[in-house]
Amino acid sequence: MKSEKIKELTMLGMLTAIVVLLQLVVRIRFGVFSLSTVLVPIVIGAALYGVGAGAWLGLVFGAVVLLSGEAAFFLGLNAPGTIVLVIVKGVACGAAAGVVYKILKKKNDKVAAVAASIVCPVVNTGVFLVLSMVFFNYDLRYVLTAFIGVNFFIELAVNALLSSTIIFLIKKAKTTH
């Protein structure tokens, strides 16, 4: 039991480092937004270690976005609103991935992995849209078409493919050892 907890904390630490590195190093930009490859380790952590791990990795994602200058444009418009938006969307997408995975894994582990990897970017973008309207009074159609449309679909596809595949491979490796 104790060694399992140590393994879990070690993996969560590594996933945390991967979140930071992906957010700081991998930059695929679309205007003021970046494609978030960082959602992949968030979904993996949520699936393997639960809702709390997903929320933690999402929190780290949000903190790095704020500290790295990624949100500078929005901070200039409304700093408190930007801080709430970035942190809430990060925590929510990680926690949602964990909840969906936990609910669906009882029926089918593969379906649970795919669903969690789809829910994460949907929640990330959805919370961004809702809180953007709350804090920045942007018209939803403008935000959706001008900034999010292409970015969201690419992010969704990348996340669904990579996250679910990696989760499946990790689970397979665990059962063979």
Side-chain angles (χ1 to χ4, degrees):
M1 181 71 170
K2 192 173 186 178
S3 68
E4 281 300 313
K5 192 65 175 168
I6 290 170
K7 285 180 187 176
E8 182 178 324
L9 286 173
T10 302
M11 281 299 295
L12 194 54
M14 289 191 308
L15 288 168
T16 300
I18 292 168
V19 165
V20 172
L21 287 173
L22 284 175
Q23 189 59 37
L24 292 176
V25 177
V26 179
R27 303 232 184 217
I28 305 167
R29 299 201 48 82
F30 292 104
V32 297
F33 296 96
S34 294
L35 175 68
S36 291
T37 55
V38 72
L39 298 180
V40 172
I42 292 171
V43 173
I44 293 167
L48 297 178
Y49 304 110
V51 177
W56 162 255
L57 294 167
L59 175 66
V60 171
F61 164 45
V64 174
V65 166
L66 289 171
L67 296 172
S68 69
E70 276 290 302
F73 173 77
F74 292 100
L75 284 166
L77 298 173
N78 180 344
T82 300
I83 293 166
V84 169
L85 183 152
V86 170
I87 296 298
V88 168
K89 81 181 186 72
V91 171
C93 75
V99 167
V100 166
Y101 186 84
K102 182 178 180 177
I103 290 169
L104 296 177
K105 78 176 179 179
K106 296 169 189 159
K107 301 240 182 222
N108 186 315
D109 205 39
K110 291 177 187 173
V111 169
V114 171
S117 65
I118 290 171
V119 163
C120 190
V122 168
V123 170
N124 186 49
T125 301
V127 170
F128 174 81
L129 284 171
V130 169
L131 292 182
S132 288
M133 290 187 303
V134 169
F135 293 122
F136 303 107
N137 297 321
Y138 289 144
D139 182 275
L140 177 62
R141 290 171 300 193
Y142 173 75
V143 172
L144 184 60
T145 57
F147 294 119
I148 295 173
V150 173
N151 184 51
F152 169 73
F153 290 110
I154 293 170
E155 205 171 89
L156 180 69
V158 166
N159 200 55
L161 179 66
L162 290 178
S163 298
S164 58
T165 302
I166 293 168
I167 291 165
F168 173 74
L169 292 172
I170 291 170
K171 294 238 176 212
K172 190 76 167 167
K174 281 184 173 183
T175 59
T176 58
H177 285 97

